[in-house]
Amino acid sequence: MATKILTEHINVPGIETFDVYRKQGGYTAVEKAIKTMTPEAIVDEVKKAGVRGRGGAGFPMGMKWSFLAKPEGVPRYLVCNADESEPGTFKDHYLMKNIPHLLIEGMIISSFALGANKSFIYVRGELMYVIHILEKAIAEAKAKGFLGKNILGSGYDLELIVQPGGGAYICGEETALLESLEGKRGNPRNKPPFPAVKGLYQSPTVVNNVESIATAAWIINNGGDAYAGIGIGRSTGTKLISASGHINKPGVYEIDLGVPVEDFIYADEWCGGIRPGHKFKALVAGGSSVPILPANLALTLANGEKRLMSYESLSDGGFATGTMLGSGGFIVFDETACIVRNTWNFSRFYHHESCGQCSPCREGTGWMEKVLHRIEYGHGHQQDIDLLVDVAKKIEGNTICPLGDAAAWPVASAIRHFRDEFQWHIDNPTEATQPGAVYRGEMALV
C-alpha cells in the first residue's frame, strides 16, 4: 500500500472545514514551523526531502526556494500555480476541492520560509466553485488566527489571496501566470531575469504547484529525511496521478514513486486493468504534452527491465524509447483508440492555446493541426508524415516558453512509434474515414 501523505484524510466527512481538518492534526505543522523553526531551517528540511516540482518540470523545490533573491526593503511573493490546464491532469483540482486546508497550511509554511507577507493562489478561471471553497477555508483559517496579522503571536503577517485565472493554458507557464496576475495578457516573459530575481511586480517570487506546496505540512511534521525515505532514488516521496482512459477505475491515486507502470495499470488498488475484452495499446504518462509510448515500451525499458513510475525510469531511453512523468496525467489507450485522431485532437488544443508571441509556435501549431486534420479525414498526402516531423523539429526548442515543445513532442512521438497507422490513413482514406474505423495492422498490444 502506498504511503498517504496528501490523501490520508481526504475522505473524512467534513474535512473541507477548519474544525474537522484541525481534529485530524491540521495546522500542527504551522505551529511547529512558526514557533520552533527559522525560515532557513524549513528550507533545509524541504531540501532534505528532495521533493521535486509536481507541476510537470520536476525541479527540486528546496533548491528553487534557495534561489530567491532577498534584497533589503523589497517584498517577496509566493504564488501557487493552480491553473492546471494540462489535458489529462486533474489532481490539483481534486486536492483543492476536497481538502483545501492542506494547501492553505502549506502556503502558510512556505510563505514563512520565503519571507513572503502576501501570497497568491492562482486558480484556473473555469473552477469558480473551487475558488469559493478556498476563499471559505481562508476565512476560517484567518478567524482562528492562522492568517492575517501576528499569526499565533509570532509577529509574522500573511495575507493570502485567491485569484481567478484568465482561462488560458499558457497561464500555467510561470511567467505568463505572473503577467496575468498583474492584470496583463498572459504572455510568457523572456528569461533571464528569472522570477526568483524579478517576478511578480518585478520583485523576487517563487511559483510552485498545488501538489508541491501541499507536501510542506507533512515534511515539517515528519522531517525531510522521512520524506526522502519514500520513493526511489531522486524520485522521492509520493505522487498524485490523474488516471483516465480505457481503464476500469479512472480517478486520482497517490502512489509511492517507483511503483512499476504495469502494477499501476493492472492492480486493483489503482487502475484495475484495461476494460474487459480489450488490450493495452498506448500510454500518455504525464499529460498531453509528453511523448506517447506504445504498450511494450510503456511497461518495459529497452533493456527489458520493468519501467517504473518515477522521473528517471519514465525518461529512460530519451525520447527514442522513453517519455516523462510530467504532471501525472496518465491516459491509457486500448486497441480501439485511433492514434492519428488523438494526435490531431491534442494539436487542435495547442494551436488554440498558443499565445502567438513566437512565430514557430504560432504558425507551426496551426500547420500541424491542418496536416493532421487532412490525414484523419482522408485527404492526406504521402509527404505529410515527414512534413509533420519537420514542422515539429522546427518548433522544438525555438520558443520563449515550453508550449512549443509541448505541441511538438506528442506529434513527433506518435509518428515515431505509430508511423504505420499514419500511413494506413493515407493509403486507405475510404476505410479510415468510416465511423469507428481503427487501424488493425501489426501492433504491440498487451
Side-chain angles (χ1 to χ4, degrees):
M1 294 290 290
T3 310
K4 301 300 183 189
I5 287 176
L6 302 174
T7 61
E8 181 183 3
H9 304 298
I10 206 161
N11 293 317
V12 173
I15 195 66
E16 73 280 1
T17 66
F18 179 91
D19 290 340
V20 175
Y21 181 75
R22 184 74 165 141
K23 286 177 183 176
Q24 298 298 326
Y27 291 101
T28 56
V30 170
E31 292 173 316
K32 180 179 179 181
I34 290 181
K35 292 180 177 179
T36 70
M37 299 177 73
T38 64
E40 294 76 18
I42 296 170
V43 174
D44 285 343
E45 288 301 320
V46 173
K47 281 184 175 179
K48 284 181 193 175
V51 60
R52 294 165 67 169
R54 302 308 200 218
F59 190 82
M61 186 164 79
M63 189 179 296
K64 191 174 190 179
W65 287 9
S66 68
F67 291 158
L68 186 69
K70 298 177 180 178
E72 287 291 329
V74 178
R76 291 167 237 154
Y77 298 102
L78 171 65
V79 178
C80 174
N81 185 347
D83 190 68
E84 196 177 41
S85 297
E86 177 84 352
T89 308
F90 42 90
K91 43 93 179 177
D92 292 340
H93 173 197
Y94 174 78
L95 211 58
M96 292 185 291
K97 176 183 74 171
N98 290 297
I99 188 164
H101 283 282
L102 183 65
L103 173 60
I104 293 164
E105 184 171 15
M107 288 293 293
I108 298 167
I109 294 164
S110 303
S111 299
F112 178 69
L114 296 168
N117 297 111
K118 180 180 281 190
S119 295
F120 298 85
I121 304 174
Y122 182 96
V123 183
R124 195 167 95 202
E126 293 89 342
L127 299 180
M128 285 306 299
Y129 85 99
V130 173
I131 291 169
H132 296 322
I133 289 170
L134 288 170
E135 287 177 335
K136 181 180 178 182
I138 286 170
E140 288 179 324
K142 188 172 184 179
K144 299 294 184 178
F146 286 91
L147 280 171
K149 298 286 187 182
N150 192 26
I151 294 173
L152 302 179
S154 64
Y156 174 63
D157 303 336
L158 176 62
E159 182 182 5
L160 185 55
I161 298 168
V162 182
Q163 176 65 41
Y169 173 76
I170 193 64
C171 290
E173 194 278 334
E174 62 178 8
T175 61
L177 186 157
L178 295 177
E179 288 286 290
S180 178
L181 198 53
E182 291 177 4
K184 304 171 190 171
R185 191 173 191 272
N187 281 0
R189 300 173 181 173
N190 278 308
K191 294 182 282 190
F194 291 91
V197 178
K198 286 192 174 182
L200 186 65
Y201 309 126
Q202 296 300 298
S203 298
T205 305
V206 166
V207 182
N208 279 138
N209 171 259
V210 171
E211 185 185 350
S212 307
I213 292 172
T215 63
W218 195 95
I219 291 169
I220 294 306
N221 278 331
N222 297 276
D225 290 333
Y227 188 92
I230 304 165
I232 184 170
R234 293 192 302 113
S235 295
T236 62
T238 65
K239 177 79 183 77
L240 293 180
I241 303 294
S242 312
S244 64
H246 297 143
I247 51 177
N248 289 316
K249 294 169 59 182
V252 176
Y253 297 100
E254 184 172 13
I255 63 167
D256 289 4
L257 284 168
V259 168
V261 173
E262 184 173 3
D263 290 0
F264 183 67
I265 293 175
Y266 290 98
D268 288 337
E269 181 183 353
W270 297 303
C271 300
I274 309 299
R275 59 182 180 168
H278 295 280
K279 291 188 175 181
F280 180 26
K281 177 179 179 179
L283 173 68
V284 172
S288 64
S289 60
V290 309
I292 191 170
L293 287 181
N296 59 322
L297 290 178
L299 300 181
T300 58
L301 304 178
N303 64 8
E305 293 179 6
K306 283 190 174 185
R307 195 180 291 277
L308 308 179
M309 297 285 286
S310 72
Y311 292 95
E312 291 75 29
S313 185
L314 282 167
S315 64
D316 186 273
F319 283 178
T321 59
T323 183
M324 300 165 66
L325 180 60
S327 59
F330 195 87
I331 311 171
V332 178
F333 300 101
D334 66 22
E335 81 285 356
T336 65
C338 174
I339 300 300
V340 175
R341 186 171 188 81
N342 182 73
T343 307
W344 167 61
N345 201 33
F346 282 171
S347 289
R348 280 197 306 156
F349 173 81
Y350 288 109
H351 180 211
H352 181 269
E353 295 297 332
S354 173
C355 76
Q357 191 174 194
C358 306
S359 297
C361 181
R362 181 183 66 245
E363 304 300 330
T365 54
W367 275 109
M368 288 195 301
E369 182 196 343
K370 288 174 185 175
V371 174
L372 284 162
H373 178 272
R374 71 185 182 213
I375 293 174
E376 170 63 16
Y377 284 92
H379 306 293
H381 310 304
Q382 288 299 325
Q383 66 269 29
D384 280 347
I385 298 176
D386 289 332
L387 175 60
L388 284 168
V389 173
D390 186 57
V391 172
K393 283 181 180 176
K394 286 181 168 60
I395 298 173
E396 185 179 354
N398 292 313
T399 55
I400 289 174
C401 85
L403 189 143
D405 295 345
W409 291 340
V411 174
S413 60
I415 293 172
R416 182 182 309 121
H417 299 300
F418 299 95
R419 191 181 185 102
D420 288 352
E421 190 161 341
F422 285 82
Q423 190 65 54
W424 177 77
H425 274 70
I426 293 169
D427 293 342
N428 304 276
T430 303
E431 184 182 352
T433 52
Q434 294 301 309
V438 178
Y439 174 67
R440 301 289 181 179
E442 201 172 314
M443 292 187 292
L445 300 176
V446 176

